[in-house]
Structure formats: C-alpha cells, structure tokens
Amino acid sequence: MKPRALITGIGGQDGSYLAEFLIARNYEVHGLVRDSMNKPRLHLAGLGEALTLHRADLGDSNAVGALVASAAPQEIYHLAAQSHVADAERDPTDTLRQNVLGTLNLLEAARRLPVVPRFFHASTAQIFGQPSQQPQDETTPIRPINRYGQSKALSTELVRTWREAFGMFAVNGILFNHESPRRGLGFVTTKICRAAAAIRAGHQQELKLGNLAAVRDWGDAREFIVGFWQSLQAPQAADYVFATGQLHSVENLLEIAFGAVQLDWRKHVVVDQNLLRTTDPNQLVGNPAKAARDLGWVARKPFAELIREMVYAAGAEA
Ligand code: NDP
C-alpha cells in the first residue's frame, strides 16, 4: 500500500512543491481546496492519478471530518492559510476563522481516526512579533504584533496542546520567509523580481516600494518542504524553526534582482510612504540548529541564486 498524505493549501507555493515531492516518493496525495474543482491550478498540472483533490470549507467541522475520514491519511500537512499580512489587517475576523478554526477542525478530525495521522502545521516567525532575542528559536516567547501573527500564534498553541495533552504526533514548523518562482504575487520578493523582468522587457517603468532598509531571513521553499516531511518522519514530535539564519535587506534584494537583468534599481524604484507598514516585525532571523541536529535539515541555497532564478522565471513568463 502506498503511504497517503493530505495537504491543505495544495495549490499554493509550498503545497504544490510538497505534492510533487511526496508523489516522487510514491505517496498517494489528497489535497483540500476551497473553491471550484475546475479552477485552473497551474502548479498541480501533470501530477496525474497520484493526486486527488477534494473541495471543503476548513471552517466547517462536518465537512473537514468527512474529508479526513474518507482520505484516511497517515500524514496531514496543514498549509492552507490566509497568509498575507496586509490582507489579515483588512479582515481580522475572516483571518481568524480560516487560520484558527481550520486548524482546530483538522486536529479534531485527525484525532478521531482509528489510526491517528501525523500532523504538520505551517506556523510562522511572525508569532514572535518584535522579539528581544536574536536569533529566534523554538523557545522564543510568542508575542505577535499583527493579526496574521496572532492567528498563527493561536493555531500554534492548538497544535502544541493536541501534542502535549492529547498525545498526537503534531508538529509546528515555525517558518521564516521562503520564496521561489511560485511565491504569491503580493510578496516583496515576487514584486521586485517581476518588476525587474518587466522593466527589462519594457512593459513597466517604475516600481513603488515601502521600507528599503527592511531585512528578512529569506530561504528557498523547495528546501523548506523537505523539512516539513522530515519532521513527520522523526522518532518524536516537536516544533522546529525552519530558517536560513541569514538576514538580507530589501535594498540587497534590489541589487541582485535588477543586476540579474543589467539594470540599476536606483533609476526605477520610488519609495512610497503609503507602503510603509506600521505592524511589521523587524529583525526576524531564525536559528535552525534544532532542525539541523534532529532532522539533518539545512538551508543551502544561496540567496542571490534564488533571487536570480525568480527574475529569470518572471522574464520567461513576461
Ligand atoms: P500560499 O499563499 O502560496 O498558499 C496558501 C494556499 O492556501 C493557497 O493555495 C490558498 O488557496 C490556500 N488557502 C488559503 N485559505 C484557505 C482556506 N480557507 N481553505 C482552503 N485553502 C485555503 O502560501 P505558501 O505556500 O507560501 O505558505 C504555506 C503556509 O506556510 C501558509 O500557511 C503560510 O502562512 C505559511 N508560511 C509561509 C511563509 C512563506 O514565506 N512562504 C512564511 C511563514 C509561514 P487559493 O489558491 O484558493 O488561494
């Protein structure tokens, strides 16, 4: 029998890479989607019969219960979330419903199966808010400062409780930023890489950005999803920070992205005060030592290589 996995958020960046990774390892993969089964899902094309999609509302406990029971997975990867900080500020109620209730319904549905599956939850560094400790690790206090971070903090605590009080094999991956050519359009890496390609092609003249001095710990999504899987193969369930441990500024990103297409970013970038965030955590940098020690997971992709790849992929699409 093939191992079976259920992935929520399967159409997104991480979900689609994880589906490919698992299918290559002979898994039967089930995916939860929230809207029409007929919606084109570019990143899932070509995965064939090893992939089965199911439509369900994560906020509906009956629907989630029925889906989990019918798929009967050995592993659940809960990656679906309203994952954009600005969208979460605009609609905090819906963000909490999707991110927290969805996690609760899945954990409960999983716990009721005769063979309880292992459970991975995609948490985020944003649960740490403005930490006094640098870098952050699994022991850093959870003190979110925005709605997205708050919703993920609550989900993270649910997962811990289901592990510690109810004995489930449940893992929080505390994820620092990770990117790829499949990264969503609203994120700064994608915005910059696509703009560099579009300006080079003559389709765009300028790029408006907020704080150019903002720094992030940016890794490669294709390495992160391997860590998700490794965390569910470990002898014991625990939380893990997945991060590179390296900080880069937006300005540094601009140098690399525009440099990849022989442009000087200073001639094209306009700082727009309206794009400055008031609830943006700074200095989030992760210490992935526990994942390295327990799982053998290490982020290897050089930042410049990742950004250049994103620019070339955007150029090929333009
Ligand atoms: P994406 O935004 O690319 O993918 C999220 C997916 O979740 C999308 O396919 C989306 O579906 C789906 N989704 C959102 N809400 C729901 C819902 N209510 N019901 C069903 N599906 C839903 O995110 P990533 O792949 O980049 O991230 C995966 C997870 O990791 C997310 O939970 C994110 O918060 C977390 N994370 C990611 C980081 C990163 O840097 N990438 C950093 C820290 C945490 P649709 O296609 O319909 O929109």
Side-chain angles (χ1 to χ4, degrees):
M1 277 276 273
K2 286 183 170 192
R4 267 187 316 281
L6 171 66
I7 304 175
T8 72
I10 192 163
Q13 171 185 258
D14 294 2
S16 58
Y17 284 126
L18 181 63
E20 286 170 7
F21 174 86
L22 293 177
I23 287 171
R25 270 154 195 78
N26 207 30
Y27 276 64
E28 178 185 317
V29 173
H30 293 255
L32 180 153
V33 295
R34 60 173 153 184
D35 45 19
S36 169
M37 304 284 283
N38 298 326
K39 177 178 162 182
R41 290 185 173 80
L42 184 65
H43 307 320
L44 301 180
L47 290 183
E49 289 181 357
L51 173 65
T52 310
L53 295 182
H54 308 260
R55 184 180 175 192
D57 175 3
L58 275 173
D60 178 342
S61 59
N62 290 331
V64 171
L67 189 160
V68 170
S70 77
Q74 284 95 41
E75 295 171 14
I76 295 180
Y77 296 89
H78 178 34
L79 314 181
Q82 198 302 90
S83 64
H84 205 279
V85 171
D87 290 346
E89 294 303 310
R90 271 191 291 277
D91 196 343
T93 310
D94 190 50
T95 301
L96 275 185
R97 181 180 179 278
Q98 291 188 52
N99 293 4
V100 183
L101 195 55
T103 307
L104 174 64
N105 287 337
L106 274 170
L107 284 166
E108 266 306 273
R111 199 164 76 94
R112 284 198 297 268
L113 287 187
V115 180
V116 179
R118 295 187 168 199
F119 191 97
F120 177 88
H121 168 240
S123 181
T124 168
Q126 299 249 354
I127 63 174
F128 299 136
Q130 306 273 25
S132 48
Q133 172 189 334
Q134 306 282 339
Q136 297 84 47
D137 63 23
E138 297 78 4
T139 65
T140 303
I142 296 182
R143 288 199 195 109
I145 56 158
N146 58 38
R147 269 94 167 185
Y148 168 67
Q150 177 66 75
S151 69
K152 287 283 189 173
L154 291 167
S155 297
T156 302
E157 290 298 353
L158 285 174
V159 171
R160 285 185 179 171
T161 304
W162 260 247
R163 178 175 70 231
E164 288 165 11
F166 306 142
M168 240 177 95
F169 193 110
V171 171
N172 286 301
I174 303 172
L175 312 179
F176 286 64
N177 288 66
H178 48 284
E179 318 296 313
S180 75
R182 296 185 188 173
R183 183 65 150 141
L185 295 181
F187 295 91
V188 71
T189 44
T190 306
K191 201 171 160 183
I192 291 174
C193 294
R194 290 177 83 94
I199 291 170
R200 172 84 269 171
H203 302 320
Q204 187 176 328
Q205 268 68 53
E206 66 172 31
L207 169 64
K208 287 187 180 165
L209 290 174
N211 181 10
L212 304 191
V215 287
R216 291 282 182 275
D217 179 338
W218 277 298
D220 187 320
R222 292 154 292 191
E223 295 184 333
F224 276 52
I225 58 100
V226 178
F228 304 175
W229 175 76
Q230 287 174 315
S231 72
L232 293 196
Q233 317 310 312
Q236 283 184 344
D239 294 342
Y240 294 101
V241 161
F242 291 102
T244 70
Q246 308 283 320
L247 281 175
H248 296 273
S249 67
V250 171
E251 205 171 300
N252 188 207
L253 206 173
L254 285 165
E255 288 283 357
I256 298 165
F258 279 70
V261 284
Q262 295 80 44
L263 290 174
D264 179 356
W265 66 269
R266 289 170 194 81
K267 295 184 178 153
H268 302 280
V269 172
V270 177
V271 174
D272 181 347
Q273 297 300 320
N274 297 322
L275 295 175
L276 294 176
R277 285 187 195 161
T278 52
T279 57
D280 201 20
N282 56 27
Q283 298 289 327
L284 287 178
V285 57
N287 175 3
K290 184 178 172 188
R293 188 193 65 221
D294 292 0
L295 309 176
W297 183 86
V298 180
R300 297 185 197 281
K301 182 72 151 272
F303 178 65
E305 203 178 299
L306 169 65
I307 296 305
R308 281 196 286 268
E309 189 188 347
M310 290 176 69
V311 174
Y312 299 145
E317 273 177 35

